[in-house]
Amino acid sequence: MIAQTLKWVGGIDGFLELIDQRRLPGELVRLQCRDTERLYEAIKTLAVRGAPAIGVSAAYGLVLGMQKLTDTDDSERGLEVLAKSCEYLASSRPTAVNLFWALDRIRQSAERFVADKPNAKLQALREVILAEANAIYQEDVKMCRRIGENGQKFIKQGAGILTHCNAGALATAGQGTALSLMFEAHKKGRKFKVYVDETRPLLQGARLTAWELKQAGIDVVVICDNTAGWLMKQGHISAVITGADRIAANGDAANKIGTYSLSVLAREHGVPFYIAAPSSTFDPSIKSGDEIPIEQRAAEEVTTFGKTQIAPDSVKVYNPAFDVTDASNITAIITERGVIKNPNADSISKYLRS
Amino acid sequence: MIAQTLKWVGGIDGFLELIDQRRLPGELVRLQCRDTERLYEAIKTLAVRGAPAIGVSAAYGLVLGMQKLTDTDDSERGLEVLAKSCEYLASSRPTAVNLFWALDRIRQSAERFVADKPNAKLQALREVILAEANAIYQEDVKMCRRIGENGQKFIKQGAGILTHCNAGALATAGQGTALSLMFEAHKKGRKFKVYVDETRPLLQGARLTAWELKQAGIDVVVICDNTAGWLMKQGHISAVITGADRIAANGDAANKIGTYSLSVLAREHGVPFYIAAPSSTFDPSIKSGDEIPIEQRAAEEVTTFGKTQIAPDSVKVYNPAFDVTDASNITAIITERGVIKNPNADSISKYLRS
């Protein structure tokens, strides 16, 4: 069974149900968000994470925001409340591009609706907002499935796949990006094994990816990040598949720290290295990986575990959230629209224009 | 200040004082071992760890074992008690080669003494045992310092050094093997920075190496294991220096899991990769790395942290303690007797015969 990260329950007066990812893998708890404050908190505290999942959640957050407006029928008042909810939710994860994109899209469609039909009742506007949120949800589900389908030839019977971090159902409304390939192959009855890097410091691989794959009945083995090269050396890995956070015009791809090392190790051992990501991940305004800003995160993520201190007091830490994999190390990028082999500035520009 | 892992206090009726490494880096607590049972427990529970440190501790454990014998003056009775202590202590870490070596050495020297002087009193035998334990201790201190001195040309002013796991003072009676190079360079006033892999799953890098280097006033930065490649790519690393657990006749070297990947990443980035280890690490009976058995360790080391579960229930885990670095990836091996450049079967056999 593939995890369903989020689900809207009911009509315009409904609520959003989320898997609380902070409790995984220990417990599967579903969080009911019945107002924007609760959803804001869920995004901020990483109960829901992953760019697409955050975007879809925020879209539904705007549906929740409209529920407060009970003393009027005026759709202009509705737009004001919508604008405030947008601003509020945008501050929950200030660097999440999908979040802003989803909020803008809903707002624009609401404004268009009111501009077209100035006399429309608030209820009709609320229906438009819910419909747009549902559309974003459905598009995400479809995008995930298509990525999975497009990558099927890369998961062979008996394969040993290595993945890093979490690019799965928990990060999207659908069945994920990198993991979507595995879910599709599993549905087709193919047998393969997935090695999951635990992915320090936040352990998204051990906590989330391993849980998702196990739930779906896929054969999964957790390893420490430093074990991947040794597995390749012993011939256990036939492909590495990861997601990406941002892909430059020349194909250089930013993804969770550790991805770059995997790409070097894969090349050394003749193992193909694939990235699975939606077209929205390409940022043609960025020429190469050198221009991608790398978020530096708090030392405490590395030096403490829960309440346990695992490094000396006030020791210096280098904790970048991402690294950049050179396009030349990437065998192919798999998107919802197809496969870009040997990605480079030419092949990507051709793809983006097609 | 370089940590002093262990210290014998007093004469034949003295005791062994150990830094309790389970409490680091949170607290610096010294454990007083006044009988073999306490020492056995300290070795078994990793209060003391690192092959040379375990060997020296066990040697002193035999001095402790003799203290029980208060009702006789007979050195033959002494040899019986010594044999029993050897057997008992040998079972504390059944795969620790240095432990067996140290116990055997003390026993042989005690047996030689009694064979030479059958009428010697027990007290004289006890003095011989303490003297031999002290000799093992002193040799270890000297070995460490010589390794450090022999590797000085590899730590340049302004260098960025990367190390993995703990091959430091905490693992030896002296100032360590890999870290000895850094302590010596620091004594000489050279400025450099050491990046320390946290070294999952047991975090010896974050917990122990970072603590040691910081205590000594060396500039240290802790990183997650998956960050090393990205640091090299950015040009921050000028040398990788690690210890080794066992080196085959052809120069292939077993060391903590993750070392192999570092060697591949180093070569990719044109960074020299050094191993610092005593001559006793060479095992000429083993032709190549393929023959080195790799200890597989418990899944719980990876799936739980203290009492917190960080991977799904009963998920499969691949948790090898070591990997093997090909000799061709090793720029040089630094020992107490010199430097073996481009190690291979020829250069090592020449070194071992010299």
Side-chain angles (χ1 to χ4, degrees):
Chain A
M1 192 205 61
I2 299 173
Q4 191 175 7
T5 302
L6 52 89
K7 189 169 74 174
W8 180 259
V9 181
I12 55 173
D13 291 316
F15 59 91
L16 184 65
E17 208 175 74
L18 294 171
I19 291 180
D20 187 344
Q21 300 190 32
R22 298 163 304 185
R23 310 280 283 271
L24 290 175
E27 296 174 296
L28 175 55
V29 176
R30 288 198 168 79
L31 211 61
Q32 295 187 350
C33 296
R34 294 180 181 271
D35 53 50
T36 46
E37 287 73 19
R38 193 79 191 270
L39 179 65
Y40 178 98
E41 213 41 41
I43 296 174
K44 195 171 180 70
T45 62
L46 309 182
V48 58
R49 48 154 284 289
I54 289 172
V56 177
S57 299
Y60 284 119
L62 296 179
V63 183
L64 293 174
M66 300 304 285
Q67 293 173 356
K68 281 178 206 159
L69 206 57
T70 51
D71 61 343
T72 178
D73 223 14
D74 179 9
S75 58
E76 283 292 343
R77 275 286 312 284
L79 286 184
E80 285 165 29
V81 166
L82 184 69
K84 275 195 187 142
S85 297
C86 282
E87 203 181 323
Y88 174 64
L89 286 169
S91 66
S92 60
R93 281 290 294 274
T95 53
V97 176
N98 279 54
L99 170 62
F100 311 143
W101 169 85
L103 296 172
D104 278 352
R105 176 166 158 180
I106 300 260
R107 196 169 158 182
Q108 282 174 23
S109 104
E111 285 172 353
R112 254 193 325 270
F113 175 74
V114 175
D116 284 356
K117 304 189 175 159
N119 299 323
K121 295 272 196 258
L122 178 64
Q123 166 124 1
L125 174 62
R126 290 176 60 195
E127 294 286 359
V128 164
I129 293 171
L130 176 59
E132 194 69 22
N134 283 334
I136 293 176
Y137 179 102
Q138 290 303 339
E139 288 165 26
D140 195 60
V141 168
K142 212 171 173 180
M143 173 274 286
C144 289
R145 212 182 41 240
R146 289 225 171 122
I147 289 177
E149 288 163 358
N150 288 339
Q152 280 314 290
K153 62 182 162 212
F154 303 125
I155 302 199
K156 304 215 161 60
Q157 177 75 15
I161 310 290
L162 177 69
T163 191
H164 191 67
C165 198
N166 178 263
L170 288 169
T172 62
Q175 64 187 24
T177 53
L179 297 199
S180 179
L181 276 71
M182 305 171 204
F183 292 132
E184 284 298 317
H186 184 65
K187 281 186 219 159
K188 290 183 169 58
R190 227 167 294 149
K191 299 271 176 247
F192 54 95
K193 195 190 282 281
V194 184
Y195 292 91
V196 177
D197 270 354
E198 62 173 0
T199 318
R200 285 281 293 155
L202 296 181
L203 299 165
Q204 295 94 335
R207 291 193 306 109
L208 306 177
T209 299
W211 179 84
E212 274 195 40
L213 293 172
K214 207 158 175 285
Q215 286 279 311
I218 292 174
D219 189 9
V220 53
V221 180
V222 173
I223 59 168
C224 291
D225 299 330
N226 59 24
T227 308
W230 182 237
L231 271 174
M232 292 185 202
K233 161 103 172 163
Q234 291 172 95
H236 295 315
I237 306 295
S238 38
V240 179
I241 308 175
T242 75
D245 284 81
R246 208 163 176 186
I247 304 175
N250 72 342
D252 292 349
N255 191 45
K256 183 64 57 197
I257 183 71
T259 306
Y260 167 70
S261 289
L262 288 182
S263 77
V264 171
L265 291 165
R267 217 189 48 206
E268 160 86 7
H269 296 92
V271 172
F273 180 90
Y274 303 112
I275 279 180
S279 301
S280 58
T281 312
F282 289 97
D283 184 346
S285 77
I286 284 187
K287 261 196 206 158
S288 82
D290 297 341
E291 295 173 21
I292 301 179
I294 302 292
E295 177 191 357
Q296 299 293 328
R297 295 184 57 87
E300 288 68 31
E301 288 185 354
V302 177
T303 59
T304 59
F305 194 97
K307 282 168 188 154
T308 310
Q309 188 180 341
I310 57 177
D313 275 337
S314 71
V315 74
K316 284 193 276 184
V317 170
Y318 173 63
N319 182 24
F322 306 106
D323 58 26
V324 178
T325 296
D326 307 72
S328 57
N329 282 358
I330 301 171
T331 311
I333 299 174
I334 301 148
T335 80
E336 76 284 9
R337 280 164 44 201
V339 173
I340 309 169
K341 280 188 191 163
N342 304 316
N344 57 42
D346 278 353
S347 60
I348 288 171
S349 129
K350 207 173 292 171
Y351 167 84
L352 291 176
R353 284 197 315 266
S354 70
Chain B
M1 190 205 62
I2 300 173
Q4 191 176 8
T5 302
L6 52 90
K7 190 169 73 175
W8 181 259
V9 181
I12 55 172
D13 291 316
F15 59 90
L16 184 65
E17 207 175 74
L18 295 171
I19 291 181
D20 188 344
Q21 300 191 32
R22 298 164 304 186
R23 311 279 285 270
L24 290 176
E27 296 173 296
L28 175 55
V29 176
R30 288 200 169 79
L31 210 62
Q32 295 188 349
C33 295
R34 294 181 182 269
D35 53 51
T36 45
E37 288 73 19
R38 193 79 190 270
L39 179 65
Y40 178 98
E41 213 40 41
I43 296 174
K44 193 171 183 70
T45 62
L46 310 182
V48 59
R49 48 151 286 289
I54 290 174
V56 176
S57 299
Y60 284 118
L62 296 179
V63 183
L64 293 173
M66 300 304 285
Q67 293 173 356
K68 282 178 206 161
L69 206 58
T70 51
D71 60 344
T72 178
D73 223 15
D74 178 10
S75 58
E76 280 293 342
R77 273 287 313 282
L79 286 185
E80 283 166 31
V81 166
L82 183 70
K84 272 193 190 147
S85 297
C86 283
E87 202 182 325
Y88 174 65
L89 287 169
S91 66
S92 61
R93 281 291 294 273
T95 54
V97 176
N98 279 55
L99 171 62
F100 310 142
W101 170 84
L103 296 172
D104 278 352
R105 176 166 157 181
I106 300 260
R107 195 168 157 183
Q108 281 173 25
S109 101
E111 284 171 354
R112 253 193 327 269
F113 175 74
V114 175
D116 284 357
K117 305 189 175 160
N119 299 324
K121 295 273 194 253
L122 178 65
Q123 165 124 359
L125 174 63
R126 289 175 61 194
E127 295 286 0
V128 164
I129 293 171
L130 176 59
E132 193 70 23
N134 283 334
I136 292 176
Y137 179 103
Q138 290 303 340
E139 288 166 25
D140 195 60
V141 169
K142 211 170 174 182
M143 174 274 287
C144 289
R145 212 183 39 241
R146 290 225 170 123
I147 288 177
E149 289 164 356
N150 288 339
Q152 280 314 289
K153 61 182 163 212
F154 303 125
I155 301 197
K156 306 214 160 57
Q157 177 75 13
I161 309 291
L162 178 69
T163 191
H164 190 67
C165 199
N166 178 263
L170 288 169
T172 61
Q175 64 186 23
T177 54
L179 298 198
S180 178
L181 275 71
M182 307 171 203
F183 292 132
E184 283 297 316
H186 184 66
K187 280 185 220 162
K188 291 182 168 57
R190 227 167 294 150
K191 299 271 176 245
F192 54 94
K193 193 190 283 279
V194 183
Y195 292 92
V196 177
D197 270 354
E198 62 173 359
T199 318
R200 283 282 292 153
L202 297 181
L203 299 164
Q204 295 93 335
R207 292 194 304 111
L208 306 178
T209 299
W211 179 84
E212 273 195 41
L213 293 172
K214 207 158 175 288
Q215 286 279 313
I218 292 174
D219 189 10
V220 54
V221 180
V222 173
I223 59 168
C224 292
D225 299 331
N226 59 25
T227 308
W230 182 237
L231 271 174
M232 292 186 203
K233 162 102 173 164
Q234 290 171 96
H236 294 314
I237 306 296
S238 39
V240 179
I241 308 176
T242 75
D245 285 80
R246 208 162 174 185
I247 304 175
N250 73 341
D252 292 350
N255 192 44
K256 184 63 57 197
I257 183 72
T259 307
Y260 167 70
S261 289
L262 289 182
S263 77
V264 171
L265 291 164
R267 218 189 47 205
E268 160 85 8
H269 296 92
V271 172
F273 180 91
Y274 303 111
I275 279 180
S279 301
S280 59
T281 312
F282 289 97
D283 184 346
S285 77
I286 284 186
K287 262 196 206 158
S288 82
D290 297 342
E291 296 173 22
I292 301 180
I294 302 292
E295 176 191 358
Q296 299 294 327
R297 294 183 57 87
E300 288 67 32
E301 287 185 355
V302 177
T303 59
T304 59
F305 194 97
K307 280 168 188 153
T308 310
Q309 188 179 341
I310 57 177
D313 275 337
S314 69
V315 74
K316 283 193 277 183
V317 170
Y318 174 62
N319 182 24
F322 306 105
D323 58 26
V324 178
T325 296
D326 306 73
S328 57
N329 283 357
I330 302 170
T331 311
I333 299 174
I334 301 147
T335 79
E336 77 284 9
R337 281 164 43 200
V339 173
I340 309 169
K341 279 189 191 164
N342 304 315
N344 57 41
D346 277 354
S347 60
I348 288 171
S349 127
K350 208 174 289 170
Y351 167 83
L352 291 177
R353 282 197 315 267
S354 71

